[in-house]
Amino acid sequence: MPAASTVDLTNCDREPIHTPGSIQPHGCMIVCNPSASRVLRHSANAPEMLGASGDLNGRELADVIGAAAAHFVRNALTLASDASRPALAFAVEVGGRMFDMAVHAHAASAIIEFEPASVEARQPLDLARMLIGRIRGLDDVGRLVPDAARLVKAVTGYDRVMVYHLERDGSGRVVAEAKRPDLESFFGQYFPASDIPQQARALYLRNTIRVISDASGERVPLAPAIDASGEPLDLSFAHLRSVSPIHCEYLRNMGVAASMSISVVVGGELWGLIACHHYSPRVLPMAERSAAEMFGEFFSLHLEALKQRGKLDAATKARAALDGVLRLASHHADLGEALRESLDDIRQLMPCDGVGLWLGGAWLSIGAAPPATFAPQLAQFVGGVAEGRVFATHALGQLLPQAEEVCPSVVGMLAVPLSQRPRDYLFFFRKEIVQTLDWAGNPEKVYGTGPLGDRLTPRKSFAIWKETVRGQSRPWSDDDREIAEAARSALVEIALRHNELLADERSKADLRQRMLNEELNHRVKNILAIIKSLVGHPAQDGRSIADYVASLKGRIQALAYAHDQIVRGDGGGRLTDLVAAELTPYRDPGSTVETSGPEFWLDARAFSVIALVLHELSTNAAKYGALSGRGGRLDVSWSGTSAGDCEILWRESGGPPVSPPRRQGFGTVLVDRSIPYDLGGESAVEYPPSGVVARLLIPAKHVALVDSRVRGADIAEPFAEPQRAAPLADMRLLLVEDQMLIAMDVEAMLAASGMTNVSTSGSAAEALRHLMQYAPDAAVLDVNLGDGTSIAVAEELVRRDIPFVFATGYGDRSMIPEAFSGVPIVRKPYDVQALIRGLEQAIDARA
């Protein structure tokens, strides 16, 4: 880098920490081809650790680690489809020693990790259940977070365990801590955003547990570090991935020798970390790490549920406070006068120092607020930045410098639009709070140049560094924003109340809002109860933790899909869509799936129950039945009875011989009892040698026939292998997808199929800018991009004669204009084979 170049945080952010070319020394690694038959790479310590002599590369895997261990690896790769959930096996004998093994497939490689087994390691399932049992009854975030820190420290034995929450500006704060008595406390201290670079935050989302055994340990290189095509190995999901030298230096500066982090993911975003520090080298056994990982996921779910309940409580409280305003406005002839009379009541909605009302060009305020002469300028500013939504800032002077001169003591502002056009607003104000922040060392890192190039040097002192902050108020919390949104809805309702043509609609909207709050609260409680039941059910004797975790994940995913469809479908969903969603993952080139039946609508209760039952039947068919090998066939049909019930028939044939289960596991009990117990229907499963036959009867009170025409689901046709795998592999593909994690998943799926030249855009505007400099051969457009659609991008692609497909999670083409009726549609969640077939269809149509 030239001397004149500026060294900033982006230098650190560019470090390729997912492809370090080395691993940590407490284990070893073997990398194979996708079928796990031949060794392609290995860590330098693998021959000695595994008791294998000579160069391992090019040898058969079974020759290196033994037939039994190789058999486990191949089975694991067959069953584990998610790289973030490696298959685990404990105490496996390899080369005369016992190892814990982790296996996952990623980027066209089968990655096998070995760690010496610990004789003292506790059973992961028992440990996870114990941890979860201690927090599942907590109903307050203020207790949940510190109790989690204490539990993790007690169970893992680390010297210090912190719960580290990421603030809105990217900085972090220690919100809970459990530590060794002789250590200084980090509780309440702030850490700058640069302590966790952007690429590290992305990895924390993809791989939710990370262990560092020794911050001063040697890095064990991979041989070869670069393969024949010039690519390094992507270790994003590997437990043994070596640590960035910058991060190791950071830990050593803190005196930390070993660490472990558990990601806390709330609403699909990184909320924070459970960070464990140890002041001497330490490796937590793989079995106990898997228990900690399960605990972290449950902690994230429980935290998210409690935060959602807090939002509901805030909205209910705000609604109660606004009732007086609503009653006054309903009997008042002048809306403006009613609001002015209620201004003191409105001030009680949230902690503030004053409120102001800009209505019809007139200003009224009470408490600490800007003068009337400044109100027009303030309203004009908010109109330009709010875009019809609630807008808040705790440092108004930074955005509107004139405010510092006119009203220097009022620095916090929350604006609530009262009309669709930028015209009328309700303002809440807060005074300046001069505060002192305790930083864990000076957050201004030292610029430096070293063997790693220009970068920011980690802080070498973590003594408390105090910063005095002026010109800011107390930040507006999520609860404040929720209350403001509730106030906006209520005050808009007041405006509707005074319009006789919309009076009836206002009443209906109020009723719908109350019902929605009650229904959402009910659903949150039900989901927590179901997840508690799924997690708390004991595993069968002899069942591996990997199998238990995979089954649990599948059941929760089925429940999540059902809940998502219920919310989108206004309280239910179509049976056709549910069958298609549950069976799509199990399509295979050698098997046939046929579905048919009239269009039934299932209510919310039936949709969730049938989702879990179909998931169990599908999983069993893929593991043991008609979908487990070539030549199998599955027929799923449904019809209405004379009593109005819906009867579903499940028939398997052509698979391995079937025999009744010797014992009733949780899945079998779920299929047999959930429909009779929850819906009052019937469920019968038979096991003739030719294949499983199941009959499910859903009572009429839970179903409705909305279309008598018989139609097949999206997966009715037998699976056909892609015809253009090689040409597609050379194509440049544009992917427009607003959800980062989904985009990353699609890129990984396409890369596994040979399509590596994928460029991603998160919005229509970004995609259009991209097209000005880039000419793709084809494109995949997510129809709904959150704040807008991708239709503008589709129009530009048509103009350029570039083929493309639409991707949508909805069951129809309602969001797609008629002009694009011939464009292929790929249903979400994405299936790589369906996506490839859609692209081929689009290319053929252009040709």
Side-chain angles (χ1 to χ4, degrees):
M1 179 179 296
S5 299
T6 301
V7 182
D8 56 32
L9 290 175
T10 61
N11 301 110
C12 185
D13 282 341
R14 287 196 297 268
E15 185 183 6
I17 60 175
H18 64 297
T19 57
S22 58
I23 66 170
Q24 298 183 63
H26 65 271
C28 66
M29 177 179 293
I30 288 179
V31 183
C32 297
N33 57 347
S35 62
S37 59
R38 190 172 301 277
V39 178
L40 303 179
R41 313 187 200 208
H42 66 277
S43 60
N45 62 347
E48 179 181 358
M49 187 172 287
L50 300 178
S53 59
D55 186 9
L56 306 186
N57 292 341
R59 294 172 58 181
E60 294 291 328
L61 179 63
D63 293 341
V64 176
I65 66 174
H71 180 70
F72 160 74
V73 170
R74 285 190 288 271
N75 286 344
L77 292 173
T78 301
L79 299 176
S81 59
D82 186 352
S84 65
R85 294 287 184 274
L88 306 178
F90 307 113
V92 178
E93 182 177 354
V94 178
R97 297 179 61 187
M98 306 303 290
F99 290 92
D100 294 336
M101 295 175 58
V103 180
H104 74 278
H106 181 54
S109 297
I111 300 174
I112 312 163
E113 301 175 78
F114 302 85
E115 297 181 29
S118 171
V119 296
E120 301 177 354
R122 289 164 286 184
Q123 288 296 321
L125 182 56
D126 293 340
L127 192 58
R129 292 178 64 193
M130 183 273 290
L131 286 168
I132 291 171
R134 295 293 183 90
I135 67 168
R136 66 184 178 188
L138 299 179
D139 58 0
D140 177 52
V141 175
R143 288 188 56 198
L144 174 66
V145 174
D147 279 11
R150 287 192 291 269
L151 276 171
V152 173
K153 181 184 183 304
V155 169
T156 63
Y158 279 90
D159 291 334
R160 185 198 304 272
V161 174
M162 300 172 288
V163 179
Y164 178 88
H165 174 48
L166 296 175
E167 304 287 348
R168 288 181 178 274
D169 62 358
S171 65
R173 184 167 66 94
V174 179
V175 295
E177 181 185 52
K179 65 181 182 65
R180 212 174 62 197
D182 59 307
L183 297 175
E184 76 280 12
S185 176
F186 287 162
F187 178 72
Q189 292 186 24
Y190 286 82
F191 291 77
S194 55
D195 279 8
I196 306 180
Q198 291 302 318
Q199 79 276 36
R201 295 175 190 242
L203 278 179
Y204 280 129
L205 275 172
R206 300 175 71 190
N207 195 351
T208 57
I209 192 160
R210 173 66 162 149
V211 64
I212 299 173
S213 60
D214 188 353
S216 300
E218 296 293 329
R219 295 156 64 96
V220 180
L222 293 174
I226 304 296
D227 64 13
S229 62
E231 293 295 325
L233 181 65
D234 189 336
L235 295 178
S236 296
F237 301 101
H239 290 209
L240 291 173
R241 173 168 50 87
S242 64
V243 190
S244 160
I246 300 175
H247 187 59
C248 287
E249 182 182 347
Y250 176 87
L251 292 176
R252 292 194 298 269
N253 288 343
M254 295 180 70
V256 175
S259 72
M260 182 178 73
S261 61
I262 306 170
S263 303
V264 181
V265 181
V266 174
E269 297 180 352
L270 188 63
W271 180 90
L273 301 169
I274 300 176
C276 309
H277 286 176
H278 208 67
Y279 292 87
S280 59
R282 175 177 175 77
V283 180
L284 193 69
M286 187 182 293
E288 296 184 17
R289 290 206 306 271
S290 66
E293 183 178 16
M294 291 179 63
F295 171 76
E297 292 186 354
F298 183 84
F299 174 80
S300 298
L301 285 171
H302 197 33
L303 178 63
E304 183 170 3
L306 292 181
K307 289 173 71 67
Q308 290 294 333
R309 190 175 71 178
K311 291 180 179 180
L312 284 173
D313 291 343
T316 302
K317 183 178 179 181
R319 174 67 65 177
L322 286 169
D323 278 347
V325 181
L326 292 168
R327 284 193 297 269
L328 175 63
S330 63
H331 300 290
H332 210 292
D334 188 313
L335 172 62
E337 188 62 28
L339 291 177
R340 293 181 182 94
E341 290 180 11
S342 306
L343 210 56
D344 193 58
D345 293 331
I346 293 174
R347 182 180 181 180
Q348 308 306 317
L349 287 177
M350 68 182 74
C352 66
D353 297 305
V355 295
L357 179 67
W358 177 257
L359 185 66
W363 175 256
L364 179 67
S365 64
I366 58 174
T373 55
F374 189 64
Q377 187 174 355
L378 188 63
Q380 182 180 9
F381 165 75
V382 173
V385 297
E387 298 181 350
R389 297 189 295 266
V390 171
F391 174 81
T393 175
H394 65 288
L396 180 60
Q398 296 179 11
L399 303 177
L400 188 62
Q402 301 91 319
E404 289 184 330
E405 302 176 5
V406 178
C407 44
S409 63
V410 178
V411 298
M413 180 194 73
L414 187 148
V416 181
L418 301 180
S419 56
Q420 292 295 330
R421 293 182 295 171
R423 183 182 59 193
D424 302 324
Y425 300 96
L426 173 67
F427 294 92
F428 295 85
F429 298 106
R430 285 178 178 171
K431 292 182 178 180
E432 178 187 40
I433 295 180
V434 179
Q435 54 184 328
T436 300
L437 302 182
D438 289 340
W439 292 89
N442 190 330
E444 298 298 329
K445 290 189 175 182
V446 178
Y447 296 135
T449 302
L452 300 178
D454 289 334
R455 61 177 176 83
L456 293 179
T457 304
R459 297 189 305 280
K460 295 182 179 179
S461 171
F462 282 83
I464 294 295
W465 188 84
K466 295 182 180 294
E467 177 188 14
T468 301
V469 179
R470 304 190 64 94
Q472 297 183 8
S473 70
R474 186 176 67 177
W476 304 95
S477 66
D478 289 340
D479 288 346
D480 295 331
R481 296 168 190 267
E482 289 290 334
I483 292 172
E485 185 59 40
R488 188 191 68 82
S489 299
L491 294 176
V492 168
E493 286 179 338
I494 294 175
L496 296 177
R497 176 74 178 182
H498 286 77
N499 188 330
E500 291 183 354
L501 297 177
L502 298 177
D504 183 61
E505 183 61 29
R506 187 208 64 82
S507 178
K508 292 179 181 178
D510 185 50
L511 177 61
R512 284 197 299 268
Q513 182 67 41
R514 289 198 299 269
M515 292 178 63
L516 176 62
N517 286 344
E518 293 172 2
E519 176 66 16
L520 182 56
N521 189 37
H522 175 70
R523 289 179 185 172
V524 168
K525 290 181 179 178
N526 280 348
I527 289 173
L528 283 176
I530 294 173
I531 292 177
K532 172 184 174 183
S533 174
L534 293 176
V535 174
H537 197 280
Q540 300 174 6
D541 294 338
R543 190 180 187 189
S544 70
I545 181 62
D547 190 25
Y548 173 81
V549 171
S551 298
L552 175 61
K553 177 189 173 187
R555 289 164 182 159
I556 293 178
Q557 283 181 333
L559 182 65
Y561 168 77
H563 178 69
D564 180 64
Q565 292 301 310
I566 289 168
V567 172
R568 288 183 176 183
D570 196 21
R574 295 188 299 181
L575 178 59
T576 301
D577 296 336
L578 178 58
V579 172
E582 292 298 338
L583 291 180
T584 293
Y586 302 102
R587 291 178 295 172
D588 185 85
S591 59
T592 300
V593 177
E594 294 280 352
T595 66
S596 63
E599 197 67 84
F600 274 100
W601 181 269
L602 309 185
D603 66 13
R605 188 178 186 87
F607 201 95
S608 295
V609 171
I610 299 302
L612 286 173
V613 171
L614 290 179
H615 173 76
E616 294 299 324
L617 291 172
S618 303
T619 303
N620 289 335
K623 286 183 177 180
Y624 317 111
L627 303 183
S628 63
R630 302 186 67 85
R633 180 184 179 91
L634 170 63
D635 293 273
V636 183
S637 61
W638 54 92
S639 60
T641 68
S642 58
D645 304 334
C646 176
E647 183 182 59
I648 304 175
L649 295 180
W650 176 287
R651 298 185 183 89
E652 298 180 31
S653 60
V658 173
S659 60
R662 297 180 180 177
R663 66 177 72 182
Q664 281 204 332
F666 180 66
T668 304
V669 173
L670 188 150
V671 173
D672 290 342
R673 298 181 58 185
S674 59
I675 295 179
Y677 185 85
D678 289 324
L679 305 180
E682 299 175 13
S683 178
V685 183
E686 299 176 0
Y687 301 89
S690 58
V692 172
V693 177
R695 174 181 174 271
L696 314 174
L697 187 71
I698 311 173
K701 63 181 179 180
H702 295 293
V703 299
L705 187 62
V706 296
D707 189 347
S708 60
R709 293 172 297 173
V710 176
R711 78 168 223 184
D714 291 339
I715 59 172
E717 298 182 1
F719 179 87
E721 293 191 35
Q723 300 299 315
R724 291 183 182 80
L728 286 178
D730 299 329
M731 282 192 165
R732 295 170 298 177
L733 183 69
L734 172 64
L735 172 63
V736 182
E737 168 63 60
D738 64 325
Q739 296 292 324
M740 181 192 68
L741 295 180
I742 296 177
M744 293 169 63
D745 187 39
V746 174
E747 290 178 4
M749 288 192 300
L750 291 173
S753 299
M755 298 182 65
T756 58
N757 197 347
V758 179
S759 179
T760 304
S761 295
S763 67
E766 182 182 349
L768 291 173
R769 288 194 299 269
H770 204 162
L771 286 172
M772 296 176 65
Q773 305 171 353
Y774 170 76
D777 298 312
V780 178
L781 309 183
D782 183 9
V783 179
N784 187 357
L785 297 176
D787 292 338
T789 70
S790 61
I791 300 303
V793 183
E795 292 171 346
E796 178 63 17
L797 292 173
V798 169
R799 190 184 70 80
R800 296 180 177 219
D801 195 25
I802 297 174
F804 63 94
V805 299
F806 282 123
T808 177
Y810 295 94
D812 53 35
R813 304 180 67 106
S814 58
M815 296 188 65
I816 301 175
E818 185 64 27
F820 301 104
S821 59
V823 176
I825 289 181
V826 177
R827 304 295 178 192
K828 298 174 70 175
Y830 288 98
D831 173 76
V832 66
Q833 301 296 352
L835 182 56
I836 290 175
R837 288 199 302 275
L839 287 170
E840 290 177 343
Q841 183 181 348
I843 294 169
D844 287 344
R846 185 189 67 167

